[in-house]
Amino acid sequence: MSTFDRVEQDYVGEVRIAADKLYGVNSVRGFDNLSVSPLTVAHYPAFRDAFALCKWAAALANRDCGVIAGAQAEAIALACQSVMAGECDDSLIVDLLEGSGGTSTNMNFNEVIANRAQQVLGHAAGSYEVVHPNDHVNISQSTNDVYPAALKIATYRLLGGLIEQVRQLAQAFDAKAAQFADILHLGRTCLQDAQPMRLGQLFSGYASLSQRLADELVAVRDKLRTLPLGGTAIGTGFGAPAAYRAAVYQHLAQVSGVDYLAPANPFDAMQNMDVFGRVSGELRTCAAALAKVAADLTKLSSGPVGGLGELQLPEAQAGSSIMPGKVNPVLPMAMIQLSFAVIGNDTAVAQAVQYGELEINHFEPVVASRVFDSITLLTQGIQRFREKCVQGIEADAGRNLSHLTGSMAVATALVPSLGYAKVSKLARQSVNEGRSLLAILAESGVMSEAEAMAAIEQASYPVFG
């Protein structure tokens, strides 16, 4: 038997397909013409499953509307479950970044599901005797409503994992805030000595930030529940039975476990992808905000001799091929680096959202590629950052205290007791003589070291609430 023993054809000509593959002629055309990246549409299981869920719900809705038989709908449903189980991944060959506006992707799924359904019903792949990719799997649908619907469903699912990781990061920072609650710390502004504070307060800010980032991701995620399914090609629903739209959302909720919604205006839903501008914007904000925190940790742990050395990060790996014993803050550096990638992805998404034309957006594949990449980078990066860095951070309480008591930040704490003019004079003496302000205070008899430390302790607590 030949390696290629199935032939399919379209108006361009014939193609030969391996017997064990479930794709068809349209998938081959898409693969041959549009393979530009290393990832196929099966690379992200959430996207693969989202397409299968749409086709599954459509089959049940079409059965209810009487446009396909019950046996066909059942076979399509079983085929969709095979897709979701990963059993057809080697036949999902179209590039994730394909440039046909999603048509090649939709047809790849249609052909794979049709051929798997054919097998369920005891027929050979490629014959399409009972289940046809267009006439049965794709009936009442268009690439133009299914692709963006699957994109939203997949993004909704992927964001769930990211939100959980950001929340766990908030918990890790909160635990450090409690651990460092009593450690006096030199607060800095513009990288200059500023005011006394507690190290735990610094970390409580990081915890609050992380929780806010999670909350904003939750809010934008909910906007993805409105889908364009039922709009077919341009929003009119042409080609679908009148009862189809209500039925497909009912079945989608049942098979997905999520209450997805029909749009208030189907034309808006087909024309615009602004929700992905918002999603990508929140991903960019999350990446940039956590990169700032990562940079803080890098500065505070700098050294161990020539830097601040107030924090000690877990030693993850050797930091140099030439400098023995050097250890770098590789986890914070990785967080900063991935923020560059996410910000770049956001620019690509913004361009794609802008360049939709008239009734649809042709550039959904690049949105899928970039949004999925950003979510994956953040989800995996934040998990490693938390597990391998944040949870193991330790503080050098003595160094924190030494930097504080040897700094001009002490002066700020003394103003309420001694007045600005007097403290200013003493502070300048400290600078001119190169001695600590605490020592000068003790020598002058203005204030004992214990009284000064009490003032510093008091200054490190918030004056509100």
Side-chain angles (χ1 to χ4, degrees), residues 6 29 149 191 206 256 287 289 357 366 458:
R6 174 157 64 88
R29 301 293 184 213
L191 291 181
Y206 299 156
S256 70
E357 295 177 332
V366 74
Q458 183 63 33

Side-chain angles (χ1 to χ4, degrees), residues 18 56 62 64 76 150 170 181 196 247 281 294:
W56 184 356
N62 283 316
D64 294 351
I76 292 171

Side-chain angles (χ1 to χ4, degrees), residues 91 99 155 173 212 236 318 325 363 410 430 434 437:
S91 290
T155 305
F173 279 132
R212 281 194 296 107
T236 63
F363 304 111
V410 172
S430 171
L437 182 56

Side-chain angles (χ1 to χ4, degrees), residues 15 23 44 55 67 105 125 142 157 183 191 244 267 281 301 343 358 386 393 396 405 438 443 460-461:
V15 298
Y23 52 78
Y44 294 101
K55 300 297 179 180
V67 295
T105 298
S142 164
R157 290 191 163 198
I183 296 177
L191 291 181
Y244 170 80
F267 303 100
S301 64
I343 291 167
L358 301 177
R386 171 177 56 83
I393 293 174
D396 187 329
T405 56
L438 288 181
E443 288 178 5
S460 68
Y461 288 106

Side-chain angles (χ1 to χ4, degrees), residues 243-434:
Y244 170 80
R245 192 169 85 154
V248 77
Y249 283 97
Q250 176 186 352
H251 286 295
L252 183 60
Q254 292 172 349
V255 298
S256 70
V258 177
D259 186 21
Y260 291 105
L261 308 172
N265 186 302
F267 303 100
D268 174 21
M270 302 289 289
Q271 294 166 6
N272 302 305
M273 295 188 66
D274 53 291
V275 68
F276 283 99
R278 293 183 175 88
V279 169
S280 185
E282 287 300 334
L283 296 174
R284 180 200 67 230
T285 299
C286 182
L290 294 180
K292 183 269 180 190
V293 173
D296 284 356
L297 298 182
T298 300
K299 292 180 182 70
L300 293 171
S301 64
S302 59
V305 174
L308 297 180
E310 295 171 358
L311 294 180
Q312 297 164 349
L313 307 186
E315 295 187 344
Q317 61 190 63
S320 174
S321 62
I322 191 172
M323 294 170 280
K326 189 171 187 287
V327 178
N328 295 332
V330 293
L331 275 304
M333 289 164 60
M335 280 301 304
I336 296 168
Q337 178 170 269
L338 74 82
S339 77
F340 302 156
V342 172
I343 291 167
N345 286 344
D346 179 58
T347 299
V349 172
Q351 291 287 292
V353 170
Q354 176 182 345
Y355 280 97
E357 295 177 332
L358 301 177
E359 318 314 331
I360 63 168
N361 192 306
H362 308 89
F363 304 111
E364 292 154 338
V366 74
V367 173
S369 172
R370 298 303 88 205
V371 167
F372 296 165
D373 185 60
S374 290
I375 295 174
T376 302
L377 286 172
L378 283 169
T379 303
Q380 296 180 354
I382 290 170
Q383 180 179 4
R384 283 165 176 75
F385 182 52
R386 171 177 56 83
E387 292 177 349
K388 296 179 176 294
C389 179
V390 175
Q391 290 179 340
I393 293 174
E394 297 295 336
D396 187 329
R399 194 150 183 174
N400 275 272
L401 182 61
S402 175
H403 286 166
L404 173 59
T405 56
S407 75
M408 284 300 98
V410 172
T412 305
L414 302 178
V415 169
S417 301
L418 303 179
Y420 183 89
K422 191 167 189 175
V423 173
S424 180
K425 181 179 179 180
L426 293 169
R428 294 317 305 168
Q429 181 183 348
S430 171
V431 171
N432 293 334
E433 296 178 5

Side-chain angles (χ1 to χ4, degrees), residues 111 129 238:
E111 290 174 342
E129 297 172 8
F238 181 77

Side-chain angles (χ1 to χ4, degrees), residues 9-22:
Q9 64 180 24
D10 58 8
Y11 59 81
V12 178
E14 293 185 344
V15 298
R16 298 168 67 83
I17 299 172
D20 62 339
K21 303 303 181 186
L22 297 177

